């Protein structure tokens, strides 16, 4: 989950959606990848989240170093005010 700076406007969110689409196209083993608004009224300012599911830990590791993900993180970094990350294993 992420809270963004005031500089994150419509162009920012459009670019992040483009990165999310690119990740789905380029990264193998991605079963689900979604960037969207957090609609919870108890979000504590975390306005958006990335939800993802991978076929395996190895596929998650490949995604972490993929050009699409590395570029997405570099682009988003200056706009992120706070971030909370959760990586969990299989259910």
């Amino acid at each position: 989950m992420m809270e963004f700076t005031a500089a994150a406007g419509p162009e920012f969110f459009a670019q992040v959606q483009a990165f999310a689409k690119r990740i789905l196209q380029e990264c193998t083993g991605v079963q689900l990848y979604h960037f969207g608004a957090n609609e919870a009224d108890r979000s504590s300012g975390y306005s958006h989240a990335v939800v993802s599911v991978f076929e395996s830990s190895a596929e998650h590791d490949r995604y972490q170093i993929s050009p699409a993900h590395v570029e997405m993180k570099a682009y988003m970094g200056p706009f992120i005010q706070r971030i909370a990350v959760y990586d969990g294993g299989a259910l």
Side-chain angles (χ1 to χ4, degrees):
M1 295 185 302
M2 292 164 272
E3 177 182 4
F4 296 109
T5 66
E11 290 179 18
F12 167 81
F13 290 106
Q15 181 60 53
V16 174
Q17 288 296 351
F19 277 119
K21 182 182 277 190
R22 187 175 155 202
I23 286 167
L24 283 168
Q25 293 170 343
E26 295 179 16
C27 298
T28 62
V30 179
Q31 295 177 330
L32 170 83
Y33 199 88
H34 173 73
F35 171 79
N38 183 355
E39 298 177 12
D41 59 0
R42 59 193 185 283
S43 67
S44 297
Y46 292 103
S47 63
H48 290 75
V50 172
V51 178
S52 55
V53 177
F54 300 89
E55 289 177 7
S56 67
S57 291
E59 295 294 352
H60 177 258
D61 292 345
R62 276 190 274 285
Y63 150 80
Q64 288 290 335
I65 59 171
S66 71
H69 181 244
V70 170
E71 291 171 30
M72 181 180 184
K73 284 178 30 178
Y75 175 76
M76 293 177 74
F79 296 92
I80 296 173
Q81 188 166 314
R82 292 187 306 151
I83 189 168
V85 177
Y86 167 78
D87 287 337
L91 297 177

